């Protein structure tokens, strides 16, 4: 099926140009048929897709609506205490079952013809099923059990809920691998997350351009000048990139070396005295020590579209939702933890200025994908060059590499059969 | 008395949006008290009592840092806003402070000429009157929508 989609193209530009991971053809960000194939092979294929946080559905009957690719999905907590997820699509004529983003309900009823579903996504009622006064109604052969919206498998990692339409994807922990899984645990750290705010950033570009950006540690110190302008990042830092064997998941991290950390205070004084620009209110970056290690930045992604971010004490989940070939919604959920002191909470509110649509170090990511999308218009046969750090997808201690971008394409091509 | 206060707030707010729309961002922090709160959030977050903002500042220094960063560090395509404000609705007032709510409508004009509705919402304000020269002690910018197109660089 996919082979037909990819290779039935008359334009030669729609065939992947080489075996190497160092070239990415621009039509991949523009082509409508590719977008349709992604929905089937990636989002509805053997992926674990981020759905929500378990803590957002505390009580029996709590539900949220979210997205897996284009597909609207309901997640609900039933009276057995378990979470269930199913398509937000009435089995009758396809209308949305739930219209609200969140709420609490005994059951779900489609507004169109009042077909009702329980909180596990089972069809429980069909209005006028037996007709009126013996006339009309559904045929006797109609079996409600055979008409449910598609259900998703669910799995949780440290309070983060993932869903899959596929019965073939391995269990979540195995799918993520030890390194990725344990570093999700590092951030959540056995604590109870608290949602501090939610925002959606509408990106004028293909979803894959945002995921490339997330995985691209090369651009960070070049595009994002906040730290360098205010000379806030001079401490010698260690760090690295971890790419999982599939290529699809990654971690980029940096840490303050313990010796440098000791000199932190002195170094900050030094920075302020000879920097041309300085913060009028440096309390923005007064962090508290949250983790036993010295890692001050950890960006973690799970293929295809999940990001967990720790930038100092700014913790957030980012969910990437494709909206067509040239549009993407980026859903930010900013997190604190129930264990936070009031002072720690205030630090998180201040450091939230670093991220989101107005983030000192993330607002550029909202426009740079659009610069590419516009830049490649009319150049579908041309290719991106992704050779920084070589041609492989190996983990490395250097972040001046595009290894995890290549990793994304390795996983993508495997899934798409390209 | 109410009309006097409305006129006063109207006047200050007119100057505030003129400052932003004319690109004089360096003067923007001066509309605030030294100890102030400025937060941009969404109607959903506000209704649910969620604390975090798209922008959050609790000092005039943080507002100055915003402007400095926009001028020197952040990279974004050139654009301007055009604010349209409704009449301030006075929620409470005493001799020192006035609380008010004002609707806003902000169009964004991009470098290439595209003009879009960028944001609508309301300012929830506390002004310190300072004997006829009011300054903002708290401004919560509650955007009606939770979606922000591309980025939010210039203040609202």
């Amino acid at each position: 099926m996919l082979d037909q989609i990819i290779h039935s193209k008359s334009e030669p530009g729609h065939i992947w140009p080489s075996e190497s991971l160092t070239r990415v053809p621009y039509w991949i960000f523009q082509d409508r048929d590719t977008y349709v194939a992604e929905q089937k092979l990636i989002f509805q294929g053997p992926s674990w897709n981020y759905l929500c946080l378990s803590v957002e559905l505390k009580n029996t009957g709590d539900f949220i609506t979210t997205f897996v690719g284009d597909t609207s999905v309901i997640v609900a907590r039933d009276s057995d205490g378990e979470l269930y997820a199913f398509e937000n699509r009435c089995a009758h004529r396809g209308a949305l079952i739930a219209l609200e983003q969140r709420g609490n309900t005994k059951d779900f009823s489609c507004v169109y013809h009042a077909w009702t579903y329980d909180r596990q996504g089972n069809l429980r009622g069909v209005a006028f099923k037996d007709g009126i006064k013996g006339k009309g109604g559904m045929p006797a052969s109609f079996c409600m059990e055979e008409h449910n919206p598609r259900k998703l498998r669910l799995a949780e990692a440290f309070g983060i809920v993932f869903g899959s339409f596929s019965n073939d994807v391995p269990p979540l922990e195995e799918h993520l691998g030890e390194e990725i899984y344990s570093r999700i645990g590092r951030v959540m750290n056995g604590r109870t997350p608290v949602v501090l705010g939610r925002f959606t950033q509408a990106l004028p570009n293909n979803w894959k351009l945002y995921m490339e950006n997330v995985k691209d540690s090369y651009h960070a110190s070049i595009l994002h000048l906040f730290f360098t302008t205010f000379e806030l990042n001079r401490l010698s830092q260690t760090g690295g990139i971890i790419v999982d064997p599939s290529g699809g998941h990654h971690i980029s991290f940096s840490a303050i070396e313990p010796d440098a950390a000791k000199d932190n205070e002195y170094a900050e004084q030094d920075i302020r005295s000879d920097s041309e620009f300085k913060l009028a209110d440096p309390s923005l970056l007064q962090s508290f020590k949250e983790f036993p290690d010295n890692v001050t930045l950890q960006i973690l992604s799970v293929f295809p579209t999940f990001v967990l971010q720790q930038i100092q004490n700014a913790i957030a989940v980012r969910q990437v939702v494709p909206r067509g070939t040239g549009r993407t919604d980026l859903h930010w959920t900013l997190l604190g933890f129930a264990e936070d002191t009031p002072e720690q909470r205030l630090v998180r509110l201040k450091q939230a200025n670093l991220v989101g649509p107005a983030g000192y170090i993330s607002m550029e990511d909202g426009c740079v994908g659009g610069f590419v999308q516009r830049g490649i218009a009319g150049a579908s046969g041309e290719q991106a060059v992704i050779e920084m750090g070589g041609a492989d997808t190996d983990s490395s201690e250097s972040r001046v590499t595009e290894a995890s971008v290549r990793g994304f394409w390795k996983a993508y091509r495997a899934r798409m059969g390209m | 008395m109410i009309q006097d206060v409305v006129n006063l707030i109207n006047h200050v707010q007119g100057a505030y949006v003129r400052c932003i729309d004319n690109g004089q961002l360096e003067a923007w922090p001066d509309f605030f008290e030294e100890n102030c709160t400025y937060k941009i959030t969404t109607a959903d977050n506000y209704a649910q009592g969620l604390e975090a903002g798209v922008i959050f500042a609790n000092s005039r220094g943080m507002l100055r840092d915003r402007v400095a960063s926009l001028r020197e560090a952040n990279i974004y395509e050139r654009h301007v806003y055009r604010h349209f404000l409704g009449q301030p609705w006075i929620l409470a007032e005493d001799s020192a402070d006035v609380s008010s709510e004002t609707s806003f409508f902000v169009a964004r004009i991009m470098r290439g000429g595209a003009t879009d509705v960028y944001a609508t919402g309301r300012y929830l304000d506390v002004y310190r009157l300072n004997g006829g020269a009011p300054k903002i002690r708290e401004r919560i910018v509650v955007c009606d929508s939770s979606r922000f197109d591309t980025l939010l660089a210039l203040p609202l």
Side-chain angles (χ1 to χ4, degrees):
Chain A
M1 157 86 185
L2 182 77
D3 279 355
Q4 284 172 358
I5 288 172
I6 302 305
H7 297 300
S8 66
K9 290 285 169 188
S10 53
E11 296 173 65
H14 287 83
I15 294 168
W16 201 277
S18 80
E19 285 303 305
S20 166
L21 295 169
T22 63
R23 295 291 183 276
V24 175
Y26 291 137
W27 57 261
I28 203 75
F29 304 113
Q30 302 165 327
D31 183 54
R32 180 69 200 170
D33 291 342
T34 301
Y35 183 88
V36 172
E38 286 167 352
Q39 296 299 319
K40 183 172 157 48
L41 296 172
I42 292 178
F43 295 103
Q44 295 180 24
S47 305
W48 283 109
N49 300 278
Y50 169 79
L51 297 178
C52 61
L53 300 163
S54 173
V55 75
E56 293 179 280
L57 303 157
K58 278 185 203 147
N59 304 312
T60 296
D62 283 352
F63 74 92
I64 58 112
T65 53
T66 183
F67 286 95
V68 171
D70 280 340
T71 310
S72 182
V73 167
I74 296 171
V75 187
R77 193 175 293 280
D78 203 3
S79 47
D80 61 358
E82 298 294 319
L83 291 177
Y84 295 87
F86 49 97
E87 262 183 306
N88 188 9
R89 175 183 61 86
C90 183
H92 177 215
R93 299 268 287 277
L96 291 172
I97 298 168
L99 302 177
E100 296 296 328
Q101 276 183 309
R102 62 195 71 247
N104 185 282
T105 191
K106 284 191 170 59
D107 54 22
F108 297 93
S109 181
C110 176
V111 295
Y112 201 173
H113 303 90
W115 286 33
T116 56
Y117 300 86
D118 65 22
R119 292 180 294 217
Q120 301 186 14
N122 300 305
L123 179 61
R124 291 298 186 196
V126 169
F128 304 121
K129 179 165 172 284
D130 301 320
I132 295 174
K133 293 182 181 168
K135 292 180 180 169
M138 298 295 278
S141 60
F142 179 76
C143 176
M144 287 205 290
E145 288 75 21
E146 291 171 6
H147 295 273
N148 294 324
R150 287 179 293 177
K151 296 179 182 181
L152 288 85
R153 286 170 67 195
L154 285 182
E156 266 188 49
F158 308 100
I160 300 172
V161 182
F162 294 84
S164 181
F165 278 109
S166 167
N167 289 320
D168 301 327
V169 64
L172 179 63
E173 192 171 344
E174 184 185 325
H175 177 77
L176 296 177
E178 163 62 19
E179 294 210 272
I180 305 292
Y181 186 80
S182 66
R183 281 171 178 81
I184 295 175
R186 172 188 169 273
V187 174
M188 305 312 279
N189 204 11
R191 299 172 292 179
T192 304
V194 174
V195 174
L196 300 183
R198 299 184 185 90
F199 313 102
T200 299
Q201 192 174 1
L203 305 176
N205 54 265
N206 187 274
W207 68 275
K208 299 186 291 298
L209 287 169
Y210 184 76
M211 290 313 294
E212 278 193 319
N213 175 273
V214 163
K215 288 163 177 287
D216 171 5
S217 50
Y218 172 33
H219 82 280
S221 64
I222 301 166
L223 176 66
H224 306 305
L225 296 177
F226 177 74
F227 281 114
T228 43
T229 300
F230 293 97
E231 297 196 29
L232 297 163
N233 212 9
R234 193 192 281 176
L235 299 175
S236 58
Q237 295 202 313
T238 58
I241 296 275
I242 296 167
V243 185
D244 88 307
S246 79
H249 321 312
H250 101 294
I251 298 156
S252 170
F253 69 97
S254 62
I256 296 173
E257 284 178 358
D259 289 345
K262 256 185 268 171
D263 295 336
N264 201 343
E265 223 170 313
Y266 169 80
E268 278 185 4
Q269 294 299 319
D270 182 43
I271 284 163
R272 285 182 203 136
S273 61
D274 54 59
S275 172
E276 184 188 354
F277 299 103
K278 55 186 180 183
L279 290 178
D281 186 346
S283 70
L284 177 75
L285 294 167
Q286 278 165 6
S287 304
F288 61 92
K289 184 159 174 60
E290 185 166 3
F291 303 102
D293 55 29
N294 292 309
V295 173
T296 53
L297 176 141
Q298 178 187 294
I299 304 294
L300 181 153
S301 72
V302 172
F303 189 84
T305 46
F306 170 76
V307 182
L308 176 63
Q309 155 219 305
Q310 175 224 337
I311 301 174
Q312 300 189 4
N313 304 116
I315 315 287
V317 161
R318 309 179 202 163
Q319 180 191 22
V320 181
V321 178
R323 286 296 192 194
T325 53
R327 287 174 55 217
T328 300
D329 279 354
L330 179 58
H331 297 291
W332 294 82
T333 304
L334 307 184
L335 297 183
F337 295 91
E339 293 82 356
D340 291 346
T341 65
E343 293 77 18
Q344 290 172 336
R345 186 60 58 82
L346 182 60
V347 168
R348 294 198 201 281
L349 297 183
K350 288 190 182 189
Q351 293 190 355
N353 283 292
L354 297 172
V355 301
Y360 282 133
I361 55 168
S362 75
M363 74 168 77
E364 287 94 2
D365 296 324
C367 55
V368 76
F371 296 165
V372 176
Q373 194 82 37
R374 281 188 273 159
I376 65 177
S380 59
E382 302 293 321
Q383 304 163 19
V385 177
I386 305 179
E387 286 189 39
M388 191 60 65
D392 60 35
T393 64
D394 297 342
S395 300
S396 79
E397 287 181 10
S398 168
R399 281 174 294 151
V400 189
T401 176
E402 292 170 310
S404 51
V405 181
R406 288 187 291 274
F408 174 81
W409 292 110
K410 178 182 166 188
Y412 179 89
R413 288 168 62 179
R415 199 68 70 76
M416 295 287 284
M418 289 179 171
Chain B
M1 183 62 193
I2 283 263
Q3 197 51 45
D4 290 348
V5 171
V6 167
N7 285 339
L8 194 60
I9 300 302
N10 248 333
H11 183 74
V12 175
Q13 296 193 146
Y16 175 102
V17 300
R18 191 165 177 271
C19 166
I20 295 172
D21 294 353
N22 289 349
Q24 294 154 349
L25 294 184
E26 281 71 13
W28 168 67
D30 297 332
F31 287 91
F32 293 81
E33 296 267 293
E34 179 60 45
N35 291 312
C36 61
T37 300
Y38 175 78
K39 180 158 87 172
I40 298 180
T41 187
T42 70
D44 279 349
N45 285 336
Y46 187 76
Q48 293 170 48
L50 302 183
E51 305 167 87
V54 176
I55 292 177
F56 171 84
N58 67 350
S59 72
R60 189 160 60 195
M62 287 183 77
L63 300 179
R64 294 203 192 287
D65 291 336
R66 259 291 151 187
V67 175
S69 186
L70 290 173
R71 294 294 197 216
E72 304 298 337
N74 290 120
I75 293 163
Y76 51 93
E77 224 168 347
R78 186 159 48 80
H79 63 279
V80 295
Y81 289 160
R82 179 66 59 194
H83 283 72
F84 298 86
L85 300 188
Q87 291 294 312
W89 181 263
I90 306 302
L91 299 167
E93 66 170 304
D94 59 33
S95 57
D97 294 327
V98 174
S99 301
S100 62
E101 176 177 331
T102 308
S103 296
F104 65 82
F105 175 111
V106 176
R108 184 186 59 183
I109 301 91
M110 298 301 295
R111 175 183 62 90
T115 302
D116 299 303
V117 177
Y118 180 70
T120 66
R122 57 200 163 122
Y123 294 135
L124 295 176
D125 295 324
V126 180
Y127 280 93
R128 176 138 290 174
L129 287 172
N130 295 325
K135 292 207 181 227
I136 299 167
R137 211 181 69 196
E138 178 178 285
R139 167 158 283 187
I140 312 294
V141 183
V142 182
C143 295
D144 293 325
S145 170
S146 297
R147 285 168 64 90
F148 294 87
D149 182 58
T150 311
L151 50 65
L152 191 156
L154 308 176
L156 291 170

